[in-house]
C-alpha cells in the first residue's frame, strides 16, 4: 500500500502520475485528507475571487503538460487562458481537477481523516488519524504549509474577532474588514474583492513588487537546477531559494488594478512598518490608523515544526534536517526509509518552484520513478 498524506493540488498530481505509470492502482493507493480533494486551494481562491491563476497553462494536475489546453479546446472555454503567460481561468482549472478526479476514480482512494502521528512497526508504517490507524509500506507527505498560518508578532495580543487570516478558509471575507495587511497576490485579490463594496486600507512593508511569476520556471530544468545542486551546503541552497522566490510580489496587471482602485479613492496604500496593534488601532512607524477589522494576507509559517504532525515526525524519526529546519532528502525525494516528500518539504532538493503547482508535477515524476 502507498499512502499520500494531503489531497491538495500536489497530492492529486502525484496520485494521477502513480496511476498513469501503473505504480499504483486505486486499490493499492490511499490518500488521506480531512476535506474533499483540493478543498483548501479551491476555498481560498474562491473566497478572494481570484479569476485567473498566476502560473501558466502547462501547470496543472495532469501528467501531460498540454492536457489543460486540450481540455479548454474540447470544452469550448472562450476565455480559458489570459495574456502572454496564458494563465488558466480558475473556474476552468478547478473543473479540470474535478474531471481528473472522476476519470481516475480517485474518490475510491480517499480517506476523510487528518493524519496526527506516524509510527513504524517492522516494515510497516502506522498513520494515526483522528478516526483510525492506517497501515502502509510507503508514505508520501504532500501536506503543504498553507494550513499553518503566519500570524505576525504584532498581532499576538489582539482578540481573535478583530482579525482574520485569509488562509483560514472557514472564515468568509466579511464586509466589516477595512484593513488588509500584506503585499503579495493574496493581498491584491483580497483588496479587489473588498473594494467591490467599500473602501479599504492596504498596509505593506515595501513598494508593490512586480514579478510575473513566483520564480523563474527554469529552476526545475537544466538551466538553473545545477546551481542548486552545486551549492556548497544546505545553508547556501536555502539562500539561493530565498533569493529566487519573489515572495510578496504580484504580476503587473494586479499592480495596475490596485493603482486604479487608489485613483478612485477605494484604496489607500500605506507603505510602513507596523509597530503595534491594539483592539482599535494600528501604530506604524509614521501613522496611527484606526480600524474595524483586519484581514491578514501574511502567508504561511516558515517553521515546519509549527505543524504538529510534522513536528511529531521530526521528533520521532529524527530524520536529516538542514539548518533552516527543512528536510534533507535524496534525489529520489526519499526523506527516510520509504517516506517521500513533495511541496515545501522537497524545497531543498527541487528548489524555488517546489511549493507551486509545477513543483507537484516534478515531484510526481521523481516519486513515480523512485517507487516503481
Ligand atoms: C491565493 C493563492 C494563489 C496561488 N496561485 C498559484 C498559482 O497561480 N500557481 C501556482 O503554482 N501556485 C499558486 N499558489 C500556491 C498554491 O497554493 C500551490 O501551488 C498549491 O496549492 C500547492 O499544493 P499543495 O498540495 O502543496 O498544497 P494544498 O493545495 O494547500 O494542499 C495541502 C493539502 O494537505 C492537507 N493536509 C494538511 N495537513 C494534513 C494532515 N495532517 N493530514 C491530512 N491532510 C493534511 C490539506 O487539507 C490540503 O488539502 C497560490 C496560493 C495561494 C494562496
Amino acid at each position: 500500500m502507498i499512502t499520500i498524506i494531503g489531497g491538495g493540488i500536489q497530492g492529486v498530481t502525484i496520485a494521477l502520475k502513480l496511476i498513469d505509470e501503473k505504480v499504483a492502482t486505486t486499490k493499492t493507493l490511499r490518500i488521506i485528507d480531512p476535506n474533499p480533494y483540493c478543498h483548501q486551494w479551491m476555498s481560498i481562491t474562491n473566497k478572494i475571487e481570484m479569476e485567473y491563476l498566476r502560473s501558466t497553462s502547462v501547470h496543472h494536475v495532469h501528467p501531460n503538460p498540454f492536457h489543460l489546453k486540450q481540455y479548454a479546446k474540447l470544452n469550448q472555454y472562450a476565455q480559458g487562458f489570459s495574456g502572454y503567460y496564458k494563465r488558466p481561468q480558475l473556474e476552468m482549472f478547478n473543473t479540470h481537477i474535478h474531471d481528473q478526479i472522476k476519470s481516475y476514480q480517485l474518490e475510491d482512494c480517499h480517506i476523510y481523516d487528518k493524519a496526527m502521528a506516524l509510527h513504524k512497526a517492522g516494515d510497516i508504517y502506522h498513520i494515526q488519524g483522528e478516526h483510525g490507524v492506517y497501515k502502509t509500506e510507503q508514505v508520501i507527505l504532500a501536506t503543504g504549509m498553507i494550513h499553518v498560518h503566519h500570524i505576525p508578532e504584532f498581532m499576538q495580543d489582539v482578540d481573535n474577532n478583530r482579525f482574520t487570516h485569509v488562509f483560514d478558509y472557514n472564515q468568509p471575507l466579511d464586509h466589516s474588514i477595512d484593513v488588509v495587511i500584506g503585499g503579495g497576490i493574496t493581498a491584491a485579490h483580497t483588496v479587489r474583492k473588498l473594494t467591490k463594496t467599500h473602501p479599504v486600507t492596504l498596509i505593506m512593508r515595501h513598494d508593490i513588487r512586480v514579478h510575473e511569476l513566483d520564480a523563474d520556471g527554469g529552476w526545475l530544468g537544466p538551466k538553473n537546477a545545477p546551481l542548486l545542486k552545486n551549492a556548497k551546503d544546505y545553508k547556501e541552497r536555502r539562500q539561493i531559494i530565498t533569493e529566487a522566490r519573489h515572495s510578496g510580489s504580484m504580476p503587473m496587471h494586479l499592480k495596475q488594478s490596485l493603482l486604479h482602485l487608489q485613483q478612485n479613492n477605494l484604496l489607500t496604500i500605506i507603505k510602513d512598518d507596523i509597530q503595534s496593534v491594539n483592539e482599535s488601532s494600528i501604530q506604524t512607524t509614521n501613522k496611527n490608523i484606526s480600524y474595524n477589522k483586519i484581514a491578514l494576507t501574511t502567508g504561511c509559517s516558515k517553521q515546519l515544526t509549527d505543524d504538529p504532525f510534522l513536528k511529531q515526525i521530526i521528533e520521532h524519526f529524527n530524520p536529516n534536517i538542514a539548518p533552516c529546519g527543512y528536510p534533507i532528502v535524496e534525489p529520489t525525494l526519499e526523506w527516510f526509509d520509504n517516506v517521500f516528500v513533495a511541496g515545501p518539504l522537497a524545497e531543498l532538493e527541487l528548489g524555488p518552484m517546489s511549493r507551486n503547482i509545477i513543483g507537484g508535477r516534478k515531484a510526481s515524476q521523481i516519486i513515480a520513478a523512485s517507487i516503481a
Side-chain angles (χ1 to χ4, degrees):
M1 183 65 77
I2 301 171
T3 304
I4 302 174
I5 305 181
I9 301 261
Q10 295 224 0
V12 167
T13 305
I14 295 165
L16 300 188
K17 182 70 177 173
L18 293 179
I19 293 172
D20 231 37
E21 295 292 330
K22 303 193 172 29
V23 175
T25 66
T26 51
K27 290 197 167 47
T28 61
L29 179 66
R30 190 193 281 128
I31 306 170
I32 301 180
D33 197 301
N35 294 312
Y37 291 130
C38 300
H39 179 72
Q40 183 165 269
W41 156 265
M42 291 184 189
S43 306
I44 297 170
T45 50
N46 282 328
K47 168 178 165 175
I48 60 176
E49 293 180 9
M50 184 169 107
E51 279 177 76
Y52 286 87
L53 276 82
R54 185 179 198 174
S55 46
T56 74
S57 62
V58 290
H59 298 188
H60 51 77
V61 295
H62 195 275
N64 170 6
F66 302 107
H67 199 265
L68 188 59
K69 267 193 186 163
Q70 293 159 0
Y71 181 85
K73 204 167 167 196
L74 194 70
N75 292 284
Q76 299 179 327
Y77 277 92
Q79 298 189 318
F81 301 98
S82 160
Y84 175 80
Y85 288 95
K86 307 238 177 302
R87 305 179 204 275
Q89 187 193 48
L90 181 69
E91 194 185 319
M92 176 185 74
F93 180 87
N94 287 345
T95 310
H96 175 252
I97 295 177
H98 284 307
D99 281 357
Q100 304 321 305
I101 289 168
K102 211 167 154 195
S103 101
Y104 280 74
Q105 297 175 318
L106 271 202
E107 210 42 64
D108 294 353
C109 315
H110 195 166
I111 306 274
Y112 284 76
D113 204 348
K114 182 177 176 182
M116 310 295 283
L118 185 68
H119 294 100
K120 198 174 183 208
D123 287 341
I124 305 294
Y125 282 101
H126 292 214
I127 301 162
Q128 175 70 57
E130 282 182 325
H131 308 300
V133 177
Y134 312 98
K135 295 183 185 174
T136 188
E137 282 87 19
Q138 275 140 334
V139 177
I140 300 167
L141 297 171
T143 49
M145 277 300 278
I146 286 182
H147 58 292
V148 194
H149 311 151
H150 170 60
I151 312 285
E153 192 68 30
F154 54 70
M155 295 303 294
Q156 298 302 333
D157 297 329
V158 182
D159 198 277
N160 274 346
N161 63 19
R162 309 293 294 139
F163 72 94
T164 180
H165 194 296
V166 175
F167 286 179
D168 186 351
Y169 55 83
N170 291 317
Q171 298 292 323
L173 280 179
D174 67 74
H175 292 325
S176 63
I177 296 169
D178 53 356
V179 168
V180 177
I181 296 177
I185 60 164
T186 310
H189 287 295
T190 302
V191 162
R192 274 158 52 109
K193 153 130 191 181
L194 292 171
T195 50
K196 283 181 185 164
T197 54
H198 59 278
V200 299
T201 298
L202 171 65
I203 306 179
M204 51 200 297
R205 285 184 298 188
H206 46 76
D207 287 320
I208 298 177
R209 296 176 183 146
V210 174
H211 287 282
E212 291 307 316
L213 304 170
D214 273 344
D216 188 333
W219 281 102
L220 285 174
K223 188 175 147 216
N224 291 344
L227 298 177
L228 197 71
K229 301 268 173 183
N230 295 338
K232 71 174 187 300
D233 56 24
Y234 283 93
K235 230 170 153 181
E236 192 177 312
R237 282 200 193 198
R238 172 54 63 196
Q239 200 182 335
I240 292 172
I241 292 164
T242 306
E243 282 166 18
R245 265 192 86 75
H246 308 307
S247 57
S249 70
M250 64 185 78
M252 182 52 99
H253 74 276
L254 284 180
K255 174 178 176 174
Q256 281 163 344
S257 173
L258 295 191
L259 296 183
H260 180 72
L261 291 168
Q262 202 179 20
Q263 276 159 11
N264 287 297
N265 299 321
L266 282 165
L267 173 64
T268 306
I269 301 179
I270 295 178
K271 192 192 92 178
D272 212 347
D273 284 318
I274 296 176
Q275 305 296 339
S276 61
V277 181
N278 65 26
E279 300 300 308
S280 59
S281 69
I282 300 165
Q283 183 63 53
T284 69
T285 310
N286 299 298
K287 274 191 166 66
N288 190 271
I289 304 140
S290 56
Y291 74 91
N292 198 22
K293 189 167 176 183
I294 296 170
L296 293 176
T297 61
T298 44
C300 56
S301 169
K302 290 191 170 63
Q303 305 295 328
L304 291 189
T305 48
D306 284 348
D307 179 339
F309 176 53
L310 296 178
K311 185 169 190 269
Q312 184 274 332
I313 292 177
I314 291 168
E315 285 175 356
H316 186 75
F317 292 96
N318 195 21
N320 256 344
I321 292 283
C324 61
Y326 279 61
I328 295 177
V329 303
E330 297 295 327
T332 57
L333 298 186
E334 190 174 20
W335 188 12
F336 56 96
D337 203 15
N338 279 318
V339 173
F340 295 81
V341 296
L345 295 173
E347 201 166 47
L348 290 174
E349 191 57 32
L350 296 185
M353 296 299 276
S354 188
R355 20 182 109 212
N356 286 78
I357 295 163
I358 191 66
R361 162 99 46 74
K362 188 73 184 176
S364 74
Q365 292 163 346
I366 297 174
I367 293 172
S370 311
I371 293 183

